[in-house]
Amino acid sequence: MTFTEEEDGTVYNEGIISEWHNMIQDYGSFMELVRIGDRLELKREGYCHWAVFVGEQFLEVEDQLMILPCVVHRANPTDNPNNFGGGFSSSSRSVSKGVYGIGDVCMEPLREVWGSSLLRINNSLDNHTAAYPSKTVIERVMNVVTGADRQAFTPYNVVTNNCEHFVSWARNGWALSHQVKSVASKCVSVGAIVAGTLLPRPLALAGGLVALGCTVLGQMRR
């Protein structure tokens, strides 16, 4: 995708949250709405995955060079596109494993990552933290894909460095994850309730809260 001088400072789809889209039924209408630099939220089974839309890019697919709508995302070891009805084989991935392997940032065809999940544009963080110009967002994520940015050398971590942290950093400059915040809030709330009944047994309380946190994070599977 090319940029004119006038477009350099443009922030597309600022602050919007779209409806959920199904790839089979809504692909055409979604492509009319989505713009480069958008944060994309994909509803997986039990959690949400996140990616940045980077427009049409060159990808090698089965030894052929193709131009395809693509996303950049921090890969999740449990988030296998083959499990979600992706349209391309894993051989289609460009810089597919990032710099060091699964869990790193990579660029892939939108269709492959979308699969059978529901997908929407979610730029809600713009309403709290100013977004970078869309061109800058693309430059930031591409620098990570190629290893030019230090983010390329940070491993995936469900609590501190997951796919939502990455897209929030790319578009808004803050590595935030509302999913992690939500889980943490639930753990604190439950801990307060338990503390009221088990205060004389602090060690049992601490052990229970640790187990609860591990269980919740395990259910997120991010």
Side-chain angles (χ1 to χ4, degrees), residues 16-57:
I16 78 162
I17 302 177
S18 73
E19 297 180 350
W20 291 102
H21 293 78
N22 175 282
M23 185 168 68
I24 295 176
Q25 300 173 347
D26 308 318
Y27 183 81
S29 59
F30 180 79
M31 294 307 296
E32 291 180 1
L33 177 63
V34 69
R35 295 292 183 269
I36 58 168
D38 281 344
R39 300 194 323 161
L40 304 186
E41 182 180 9
L42 299 105
K43 187 180 291 185
R44 303 300 204 207
E45 184 177 349
Y47 68 100
C48 286
H49 188 58
W50 293 77
V52 174
F53 183 69
V54 294
E56 294 184 338
Q57 302 288 338

mmCIF file of all heavy atoms in Angstrom, residues 16-57:
data_model
loop_
_atom_site.group_PDB
_atom_site.id
_atom_site.type_symbol
_atom_site.label_atom_id
_atom_site.label_comp_id
_atom_site.label_asym_id
_atom_site.label_seq_id
_atom_site.Cartn_x
_atom_site.Cartn_y
_atom_site.Cartn_z
ATOM 1 N N ILE A 16 -13.180 3.508 16.614
ATOM 2 C CA ILE A 16 -14.382 2.722 16.298
ATOM 3 C C ILE A 16 -14.279 1.280 16.792
ATOM 4 O O ILE A 16 -13.190 0.717 16.923
ATOM 5 C CB ILE A 16 -14.689 2.716 14.783
ATOM 6 C CG1 ILE A 16 -13.768 1.733 14.042
ATOM 7 C CG2 ILE A 16 -14.591 4.094 14.174
ATOM 8 C CD1 ILE A 16 -14.283 1.354 12.677
ATOM 9 N N ILE A 17 -15.445 0.712 17.073
ATOM 10 C CA ILE A 17 -15.584 -0.713 17.326
ATOM 11 C C ILE A 17 -16.663 -1.195 16.361
ATOM 12 O O ILE A 17 -17.815 -0.761 16.444
ATOM 13 C CB ILE A 17 -16.020 -1.027 18.767
ATOM 14 C CG1 ILE A 17 -15.015 -0.436 19.769
ATOM 15 C CG2 ILE A 17 -16.137 -2.537 18.978
ATOM 16 C CD1 ILE A 17 -15.427 -0.644 21.219
ATOM 17 N N SER A 18 -16.303 -2.050 15.444
ATOM 18 C CA SER A 18 -17.260 -2.507 14.436
ATOM 19 C C SER A 18 -18.090 -3.670 14.966
ATOM 20 O O SER A 18 -17.855 -4.185 16.068
ATOM 21 C CB SER A 18 -16.522 -2.959 13.167
ATOM 22 O OG SER A 18 -15.870 -4.210 13.379
ATOM 23 N N GLU A 19 -19.049 -4.096 14.168
ATOM 24 C CA GLU A 19 -19.783 -5.309 14.473
ATOM 25 C C GLU A 19 -18.875 -6.507 14.222
ATOM 26 O O GLU A 19 -17.850 -6.416 13.553
ATOM 27 C CB GLU A 19 -21.034 -5.410 13.591
ATOM 28 C CG GLU A 19 -22.050 -4.298 13.814
ATOM 29 C CD GLU A 19 -23.265 -4.451 12.910
ATOM 30 O OE1 GLU A 19 -23.208 -5.314 11.999
ATOM 31 O OE2 GLU A 19 -24.243 -3.719 13.105
ATOM 32 N N TRP A 20 -19.264 -7.669 14.756
ATOM 33 C CA TRP A 20 -18.524 -8.894 14.498
ATOM 34 C C TRP A 20 -18.810 -9.376 13.077
ATOM 35 O O TRP A 20 -19.937 -9.270 12.600
ATOM 36 C CB TRP A 20 -18.914 -9.982 15.493
ATOM 37 C CG TRP A 20 -18.455 -9.717 16.899
ATOM 38 C CD1 TRP A 20 -19.216 -9.262 17.935
ATOM 39 C CD2 TRP A 20 -17.131 -9.884 17.419
ATOM 40 N NE1 TRP A 20 -18.454 -9.126 19.065
ATOM 41 C CE2 TRP A 20 -17.169 -9.511 18.780
ATOM 42 C CE3 TRP A 20 -15.922 -10.313 16.866
ATOM 43 C CZ2 TRP A 20 -16.043 -9.549 19.595
ATOM 44 C CZ3 TRP A 20 -14.797 -10.350 17.682
ATOM 45 C CH2 TRP A 20 -14.866 -9.976 19.030
ATOM 46 N N HIS A 21 -17.780 -9.889 12.411
ATOM 47 C CA HIS A 21 -17.913 -10.341 11.024
ATOM 48 C C HIS A 21 -17.493 -11.807 10.884
ATOM 49 O O HIS A 21 -16.535 -12.252 11.512
ATOM 50 C CB HIS A 21 -17.054 -9.491 10.088
ATOM 51 C CG HIS A 21 -17.513 -8.072 9.958
ATOM 52 N ND1 HIS A 21 -17.257 -7.113 10.915
ATOM 53 C CD2 HIS A 21 -18.211 -7.448 8.972
ATOM 54 C CE1 HIS A 21 -17.783 -5.958 10.523
ATOM 55 N NE2 HIS A 21 -18.360 -6.142 9.354
ATOM 56 N N ASN A 22 -18.245 -12.519 10.049
ATOM 57 C CA ASN A 22 -17.931 -13.893 9.691
ATOM 58 C C ASN A 22 -17.276 -13.885 8.310
ATOM 59 O O ASN A 22 -17.763 -13.229 7.392
ATOM 60 C CB ASN A 22 -19.219 -14.731 9.679
ATOM 61 C CG ASN A 22 -19.005 -16.141 9.211
ATOM 62 O OD1 ASN A 22 -18.876 -16.402 8.016
ATOM 63 N ND2 ASN A 22 -18.981 -17.083 10.139
ATOM 64 N N MET A 23 -16.167 -14.619 8.142
ATOM 65 C CA MET A 23 -15.418 -14.520 6.892
ATOM 66 C C MET A 23 -16.237 -14.978 5.685
ATOM 67 O O MET A 23 -16.182 -14.362 4.618
ATOM 68 C CB MET A 23 -14.113 -15.339 6.967
ATOM 69 C CG MET A 23 -13.231 -15.164 5.735
ATOM 70 S SD MET A 23 -11.566 -15.826 5.927
ATOM 71 C CE MET A 23 -11.916 -17.591 6.004
ATOM 72 N N ILE A 24 -17.007 -16.035 5.825
ATOM 73 C CA ILE A 24 -17.766 -16.557 4.690
ATOM 74 C C ILE A 24 -18.866 -15.592 4.268
ATOM 75 O O ILE A 24 -19.065 -15.318 3.080
ATOM 76 C CB ILE A 24 -18.372 -17.937 5.040
ATOM 77 C CG1 ILE A 24 -17.241 -18.954 5.267
ATOM 78 C CG2 ILE A 24 -19.295 -18.417 3.929
ATOM 79 C CD1 ILE A 24 -17.737 -20.315 5.707
ATOM 80 N N GLN A 25 -19.567 -15.029 5.232
ATOM 81 C CA GLN A 25 -20.723 -14.175 4.928
ATOM 82 C C GLN A 25 -20.364 -12.702 4.760
ATOM 83 O O GLN A 25 -21.027 -11.997 3.993
ATOM 84 C CB GLN A 25 -21.762 -14.316 6.045
ATOM 85 C CG GLN A 25 -22.281 -15.735 6.230
ATOM 86 C CD GLN A 25 -23.185 -15.863 7.447
ATOM 87 O OE1 GLN A 25 -23.239 -14.956 8.292
ATOM 88 N NE2 GLN A 25 -23.906 -16.966 7.552
ATOM 89 N N ASP A 26 -19.322 -12.243 5.446
ATOM 90 C CA ASP A 26 -19.096 -10.803 5.549
ATOM 91 C C ASP A 26 -17.756 -10.315 5.001
ATOM 92 O O ASP A 26 -17.372 -9.176 5.242
ATOM 93 C CB ASP A 26 -19.190 -10.371 7.023
ATOM 94 C CG ASP A 26 -20.467 -10.842 7.694
ATOM 95 O OD1 ASP A 26 -21.526 -10.762 7.053
ATOM 96 O OD2 ASP A 26 -20.397 -11.279 8.858
ATOM 97 N N TYR A 27 -17.044 -11.163 4.280
ATOM 98 C CA TYR A 27 -15.685 -10.782 3.865
ATOM 99 C C TYR A 27 -15.687 -9.480 3.058
ATOM 100 O O TYR A 27 -14.890 -8.568 3.317
ATOM 101 C CB TYR A 27 -15.042 -11.896 3.045
ATOM 102 C CG TYR A 27 -13.614 -11.592 2.646
ATOM 103 C CD1 TYR A 27 -12.566 -11.782 3.537
ATOM 104 C CD2 TYR A 27 -13.324 -11.094 1.367
ATOM 105 C CE1 TYR A 27 -11.249 -11.488 3.178
ATOM 106 C CE2 TYR A 27 -12.015 -10.798 1.004
ATOM 107 C CZ TYR A 27 -10.989 -11.001 1.908
ATOM 108 O OH TYR A 27 -9.701 -10.698 1.549
ATOM 109 N N GLY A 28 -16.568 -9.373 2.087
ATOM 110 C CA GLY A 28 -16.595 -8.192 1.229
ATOM 111 C C GLY A 28 -16.893 -6.915 1.991
ATOM 112 O O GLY A 28 -16.202 -5.899 1.822
ATOM 113 N N SER A 29 -17.893 -6.952 2.856
ATOM 114 C CA SER A 29 -18.269 -5.753 3.613
ATOM 115 C C SER A 29 -17.184 -5.378 4.620
ATOM 116 O O SER A 29 -16.943 -4.186 4.862
ATOM 117 C CB SER A 29 -19.602 -5.973 4.337
ATOM 118 O OG SER A 29 -19.529 -7.071 5.232
ATOM 119 N N PHE A 30 -16.524 -6.379 5.177
ATOM 120 C CA PHE A 30 -15.451 -6.086 6.129
ATOM 121 C C PHE A 30 -14.278 -5.412 5.421
ATOM 122 O O PHE A 30 -13.704 -4.451 5.950
ATOM 123 C CB PHE A 30 -14.974 -7.365 6.821
ATOM 124 C CG PHE A 30 -13.866 -7.120 7.815
ATOM 125 C CD1 PHE A 30 -14.150 -6.614 9.071
ATOM 126 C CD2 PHE A 30 -12.543 -7.369 7.473
ATOM 127 C CE1 PHE A 30 -13.120 -6.358 9.981
ATOM 128 C CE2 PHE A 30 -11.515 -7.123 8.369
ATOM 129 C CZ PHE A 30 -11.806 -6.615 9.635
ATOM 130 N N MET A 31 -13.936 -5.881 4.226
ATOM 131 C CA MET A 31 -12.810 -5.309 3.502
ATOM 132 C C MET A 31 -13.084 -3.868 3.077
ATOM 133 O O MET A 31 -12.149 -3.086 2.872
ATOM 134 C CB MET A 31 -12.463 -6.168 2.284
ATOM 135 C CG MET A 31 -11.933 -7.556 2.638
ATOM 136 S SD MET A 31 -10.531 -7.520 3.794
ATOM 137 C CE MET A 31 -9.291 -6.661 2.826
ATOM 138 N N GLU A 32 -14.342 -3.504 2.936
ATOM 139 C CA GLU A 32 -14.687 -2.119 2.621
ATOM 140 C C GLU A 32 -14.500 -1.223 3.848
ATOM 141 O O GLU A 32 -14.259 -0.021 3.710
ATOM 142 C CB GLU A 32 -16.136 -2.035 2.140
ATOM 143 C CG GLU A 32 -16.368 -2.674 0.779
ATOM 144 C CD GLU A 32 -17.814 -2.564 0.340
ATOM 145 O OE1 GLU A 32 -18.618 -1.974 1.105
ATOM 146 O OE2 GLU A 32 -18.153 -3.053 -0.754
ATOM 147 N N LEU A 33 -14.595 -1.803 5.031
ATOM 148 C CA LEU A 33 -14.526 -1.037 6.278
ATOM 149 C C LEU A 33 -13.115 -0.946 6.847
ATOM 150 O O LEU A 33 -12.704 0.100 7.337
ATOM 151 C CB LEU A 33 -15.454 -1.678 7.317
ATOM 152 C CG LEU A 33 -15.475 -1.061 8.720
ATOM 153 C CD1 LEU A 33 -15.986 0.383 8.662
ATOM 154 C CD2 LEU A 33 -16.358 -1.904 9.647
ATOM 155 N N VAL A 34 -12.355 -2.028 6.782
ATOM 156 C CA VAL A 34 -11.060 -2.091 7.464
ATOM 157 C C VAL A 34 -10.037 -1.191 6.771
ATOM 158 O O VAL A 34 -10.060 -1.003 5.555
ATOM 159 C CB VAL A 34 -10.552 -3.559 7.508
ATOM 160 C CG1 VAL A 34 -10.160 -4.055 6.115
ATOM 161 C CG2 VAL A 34 -9.409 -3.709 8.495
ATOM 162 N N ARG A 35 -9.151 -0.615 7.583
ATOM 163 C CA ARG A 35 -8.090 0.253 7.079
ATOM 164 C C ARG A 35 -6.755 -0.154 7.718
ATOM 165 O O ARG A 35 -6.717 -0.762 8.778
ATOM 166 C CB ARG A 35 -8.388 1.724 7.412
ATOM 167 C CG ARG A 35 -9.618 2.279 6.711
ATOM 168 C CD ARG A 35 -9.402 2.401 5.210
ATOM 169 N NE ARG A 35 -10.545 2.985 4.529
ATOM 170 C CZ ARG A 35 -11.559 2.290 4.020
ATOM 171 N NH1 ARG A 35 -11.578 0.961 4.159
ATOM 172 N NH2 ARG A 35 -12.550 2.879 3.396
ATOM 173 N N ILE A 36 -5.676 0.201 7.054
ATOM 174 C CA ILE A 36 -4.362 -0.128 7.595
ATOM 175 C C ILE A 36 -4.198 0.465 8.995
ATOM 176 O O ILE A 36 -4.671 1.567 9.276
ATOM 177 C CB ILE A 36 -3.230 0.379 6.683
ATOM 178 C CG1 ILE A 36 -3.337 1.886 6.483
ATOM 179 C CG2 ILE A 36 -3.244 -0.357 5.351
ATOM 180 C CD1 ILE A 36 -2.111 2.506 5.851
ATOM 181 N N GLY A 37 -3.543 -0.280 9.857
ATOM 182 C CA GLY A 37 -3.307 0.182 11.217
ATOM 183 C C GLY A 37 -4.419 -0.148 12.189
ATOM 184 O O GLY A 37 -4.281 0.120 13.390
ATOM 185 N N ASP A 38 -5.525 -0.730 11.705
ATOM 186 C CA ASP A 38 -6.621 -1.098 12.605
ATOM 187 C C ASP A 38 -6.217 -2.251 13.519
ATOM 188 O O ASP A 38 -5.526 -3.186 13.101
ATOM 189 C CB ASP A 38 -7.860 -1.529 11.807
ATOM 190 C CG ASP A 38 -8.641 -0.354 11.260
ATOM 191 O OD1 ASP A 38 -8.422 0.784 11.725
ATOM 192 O OD2 ASP A 38 -9.477 -0.570 10.356
ATOM 193 N N ARG A 39 -6.676 -2.188 14.764
ATOM 194 C CA ARG A 39 -6.535 -3.326 15.670
ATOM 195 C C ARG A 39 -7.694 -4.284 15.393
ATOM 196 O O ARG A 39 -8.855 -3.895 15.448
ATOM 197 C CB ARG A 39 -6.599 -2.890 17.140
ATOM 198 C CG ARG A 39 -5.531 -1.905 17.567
ATOM 199 C CD ARG A 39 -5.437 -1.773 19.092
ATOM 200 N NE ARG A 39 -6.737 -1.843 19.744
ATOM 201 C CZ ARG A 39 -6.901 -2.121 21.034
ATOM 202 N NH1 ARG A 39 -5.861 -2.382 21.798
ATOM 203 N NH2 ARG A 39 -8.106 -2.144 21.563
ATOM 204 N N LEU A 40 -7.384 -5.525 15.110
ATOM 205 C CA LEU A 40 -8.400 -6.532 14.821
ATOM 206 C C LEU A 40 -8.513 -7.504 15.993
ATOM 207 O O LEU A 40 -7.505 -8.034 16.464
ATOM 208 C CB LEU A 40 -8.056 -7.299 13.540
ATOM 209 C CG LEU A 40 -7.845 -6.465 12.273
ATOM 210 C CD1 LEU A 40 -7.653 -7.386 11.076
ATOM 211 C CD2 LEU A 40 -9.015 -5.506 12.039
ATOM 212 N N GLU A 41 -9.727 -7.729 16.424
ATOM 213 C CA GLU A 41 -10.004 -8.654 17.528
ATOM 214 C C GLU A 41 -10.708 -9.889 16.973
ATOM 215 O O GLU A 41 -11.724 -9.778 16.289
ATOM 216 C CB GLU A 41 -10.888 -7.972 18.573
ATOM 217 C CG GLU A 41 -11.199 -8.835 19.785
ATOM 218 C CD GLU A 41 -12.076 -8.119 20.798
ATOM 219 O OE1 GLU A 41 -12.579 -7.006 20.491
ATOM 220 O OE2 GLU A 41 -12.268 -8.658 21.901
ATOM 221 N N LEU A 42 -10.165 -11.057 17.244
ATOM 222 C CA LEU A 42 -10.734 -12.318 16.755
ATOM 223 C C LEU A 42 -11.240 -13.137 17.929
ATOM 224 O O LEU A 42 -10.487 -13.404 18.878
ATOM 225 C CB LEU A 42 -9.680 -13.122 15.984
ATOM 226 C CG LEU A 42 -9.111 -12.445 14.743
ATOM 227 C CD1 LEU A 42 -7.685 -11.934 15.027
ATOM 228 C CD2 LEU A 42 -9.092 -13.388 13.560
ATOM 229 N N LYS A 43 -12.500 -13.523 17.861
ATOM 230 C CA LYS A 43 -13.104 -14.280 18.951
ATOM 231 C C LYS A 43 -12.833 -15.769 18.752
ATOM 232 O O LYS A 43 -13.463 -16.429 17.935
ATOM 233 C CB LYS A 43 -14.615 -14.018 19.022
ATOM 234 C CG LYS A 43 -15.294 -14.644 20.240
ATOM 235 C CD LYS A 43 -16.785 -14.347 20.258
ATOM 236 C CE LYS A 43 -17.077 -12.885 20.517
ATOM 237 N NZ LYS A 43 -18.541 -12.630 20.658
ATOM 238 N N ARG A 44 -11.849 -16.287 19.497
ATOM 239 C CA ARG A 44 -11.529 -17.702 19.482
ATOM 240 C C ARG A 44 -12.400 -18.410 20.536
ATOM 241 O O ARG A 44 -13.216 -17.786 21.207
ATOM 242 C CB ARG A 44 -10.055 -17.929 19.803
ATOM 243 C CG ARG A 44 -9.056 -17.213 18.895
ATOM 244 C CD ARG A 44 -9.156 -17.605 17.446
ATOM 245 N NE ARG A 44 -7.888 -17.366 16.741
ATOM 246 C CZ ARG A 44 -7.778 -17.129 15.467
ATOM 247 N NH1 ARG A 44 -8.866 -17.062 14.709
ATOM 248 N NH2 ARG A 44 -6.596 -16.941 14.901
ATOM 249 N N GLU A 45 -12.181 -19.705 20.701
ATOM 250 C CA GLU A 45 -12.928 -20.459 21.704
ATOM 251 C C GLU A 45 -12.292 -20.240 23.075
ATOM 252 O O GLU A 45 -11.233 -20.755 23.394
ATOM 253 C CB GLU A 45 -12.917 -21.951 21.363
ATOM 254 C CG GLU A 45 -13.768 -22.789 22.323
ATOM 255 C CD GLU A 45 -13.809 -24.251 21.931
ATOM 256 O OE1 GLU A 45 -13.359 -24.579 20.809
ATOM 257 O OE2 GLU A 45 -14.273 -25.055 22.737
ATOM 258 N N GLY A 46 -12.928 -19.422 23.911
ATOM 259 C CA GLY A 46 -12.450 -19.191 25.272
ATOM 260 C C GLY A 46 -11.549 -17.987 25.450
ATOM 261 O O GLY A 46 -11.163 -17.669 26.575
ATOM 262 N N TYR A 47 -11.196 -17.295 24.383
ATOM 263 C CA TYR A 47 -10.336 -16.126 24.498
ATOM 264 C C TYR A 47 -10.410 -15.328 23.196
ATOM 265 O O TYR A 47 -11.047 -15.759 22.232
ATOM 266 C CB TYR A 47 -8.876 -16.520 24.773
ATOM 267 C CG TYR A 47 -8.191 -17.214 23.619
ATOM 268 C CD1 TYR A 47 -7.330 -16.523 22.776
ATOM 269 C CD2 TYR A 47 -8.418 -18.562 23.348
ATOM 270 C CE1 TYR A 47 -6.703 -17.150 21.706
ATOM 271 C CE2 TYR A 47 -7.795 -19.204 22.288
ATOM 272 C CZ TYR A 47 -6.943 -18.492 21.472
ATOM 273 O OH TYR A 47 -6.331 -19.117 20.418
ATOM 274 N N CYS A 48 -9.772 -14.168 23.170
ATOM 275 C CA CYS A 48 -9.715 -13.359 21.956
ATOM 276 C C CYS A 48 -8.260 -13.199 21.523
ATOM 277 O O CYS A 48 -7.365 -13.014 22.353
ATOM 278 C CB CYS A 48 -10.333 -11.978 22.182
ATOM 279 S SG CYS A 48 -12.144 -12.017 22.282
ATOM 280 N N HIS A 49 -8.046 -13.284 20.214
ATOM 281 C CA HIS A 49 -6.724 -13.066 19.640
ATOM 282 C C HIS A 49 -6.731 -11.694 18.960
ATOM 283 O O HIS A 49 -7.788 -11.204 18.560
ATOM 284 C CB HIS A 49 -6.392 -14.168 18.626
ATOM 285 C CG HIS A 49 -4.990 -14.124 18.130
ATOM 286 N ND1 HIS A 49 -3.908 -14.203 18.975
ATOM 287 C CD2 HIS A 49 -4.478 -13.974 16.870
ATOM 288 C CE1 HIS A 49 -2.800 -14.122 18.259
ATOM 289 N NE2 HIS A 49 -3.108 -13.980 16.984
ATOM 290 N N TRP A 50 -5.557 -11.076 18.839
ATOM 291 C CA TRP A 50 -5.471 -9.716 18.304
ATOM 292 C C TRP A 50 -4.403 -9.615 17.219
ATOM 293 O O TRP A 50 -3.385 -10.312 17.273
ATOM 294 C CB TRP A 50 -5.131 -8.721 19.421
ATOM 295 C CG TRP A 50 -6.211 -8.563 20.447
ATOM 296 C CD1 TRP A 50 -6.513 -9.442 21.461
ATOM 297 C CD2 TRP A 50 -7.132 -7.480 20.563
ATOM 298 N NE1 TRP A 50 -7.572 -8.960 22.198
ATOM 299 C CE2 TRP A 50 -7.966 -7.760 21.683
ATOM 300 C CE3 TRP A 50 -7.335 -6.296 19.847
ATOM 301 C CZ2 TRP A 50 -8.981 -6.894 22.083
ATOM 302 C CZ3 TRP A 50 -8.336 -5.440 20.255
ATOM 303 C CH2 TRP A 50 -9.152 -5.742 21.355
ATOM 304 N N ALA A 51 -4.649 -8.738 16.238
ATOM 305 C CA ALA A 51 -3.700 -8.529 15.150
ATOM 306 C C ALA A 51 -3.842 -7.101 14.623
ATOM 307 O O ALA A 51 -4.823 -6.411 14.915
ATOM 308 C CB ALA A 51 -3.953 -9.533 14.022
ATOM 309 N N VAL A 52 -2.864 -6.657 13.846
ATOM 310 C CA VAL A 52 -2.901 -5.345 13.197
ATOM 311 C C VAL A 52 -3.040 -5.564 11.696
ATOM 312 O O VAL A 52 -2.276 -6.336 11.095
ATOM 313 C CB VAL A 52 -1.619 -4.544 13.494
ATOM 314 C CG1 VAL A 52 -1.618 -3.234 12.692
ATOM 315 C CG2 VAL A 52 -1.501 -4.243 14.980
ATOM 316 N N PHE A 53 -3.999 -4.887 11.072
ATOM 317 C CA PHE A 53 -4.185 -4.996 9.630
ATOM 318 C C PHE A 53 -3.149 -4.131 8.926
ATOM 319 O O PHE A 53 -3.014 -2.941 9.213
ATOM 320 C CB PHE A 53 -5.594 -4.559 9.232
ATOM 321 C CG PHE A 53 -5.887 -4.720 7.766
ATOM 322 C CD1 PHE A 53 -6.006 -5.981 7.207
ATOM 323 C CD2 PHE A 53 -6.037 -3.609 6.939
ATOM 324 C CE1 PHE A 53 -6.260 -6.142 5.844
ATOM 325 C CE2 PHE A 53 -6.300 -3.751 5.591
ATOM 326 C CZ PHE A 53 -6.412 -5.032 5.044
ATOM 327 N N VAL A 54 -2.407 -4.726 7.979
ATOM 328 C CA VAL A 54 -1.329 -3.997 7.303
ATOM 329 C C VAL A 54 -1.579 -3.840 5.808
ATOM 330 O O VAL A 54 -0.680 -3.448 5.048
ATOM 331 C CB VAL A 54 0.038 -4.687 7.541
ATOM 332 C CG1 VAL A 54 0.415 -4.609 9.017
ATOM 333 C CG2 VAL A 54 0.032 -6.132 7.052
ATOM 334 N N GLY A 55 -2.790 -4.161 5.347
ATOM 335 C CA GLY A 55 -3.111 -3.976 3.939
ATOM 336 C C GLY A 55 -2.546 -5.074 3.056
ATOM 337 O O GLY A 55 -2.197 -6.160 3.527
ATOM 338 N N GLU A 56 -2.471 -4.798 1.753
ATOM 339 C CA GLU A 56 -1.984 -5.797 0.800
ATOM 340 C C GLU A 56 -0.457 -5.839 0.816
ATOM 341 O O GLU A 56 0.212 -4.809 0.729
ATOM 342 C CB GLU A 56 -2.491 -5.469 -0.597
ATOM 343 C CG GLU A 56 -4.005 -5.609 -0.717
ATOM 344 C CD GLU A 56 -4.487 -5.372 -2.141
ATOM 345 O OE1 GLU A 56 -3.758 -4.705 -2.914
ATOM 346 O OE2 GLU A 56 -5.565 -5.865 -2.490
ATOM 347 N N GLN A 57 0.057 -7.057 0.940
ATOM 348 C CA GLN A 57 1.502 -7.252 1.016
ATOM 349 C C GLN A 57 1.906 -8.420 0.112
ATOM 350 O O GLN A 57 1.095 -9.296 -0.186
ATOM 351 C CB GLN A 57 1.930 -7.559 2.460
ATOM 352 C CG GLN A 57 1.562 -6.484 3.468
ATOM 353 C CD GLN A 57 2.393 -5.228 3.322
ATOM 354 O OE1 GLN A 57 3.504 -5.260 2.768
ATOM 355 N NE2 GLN A 57 1.881 -4.110 3.824
#
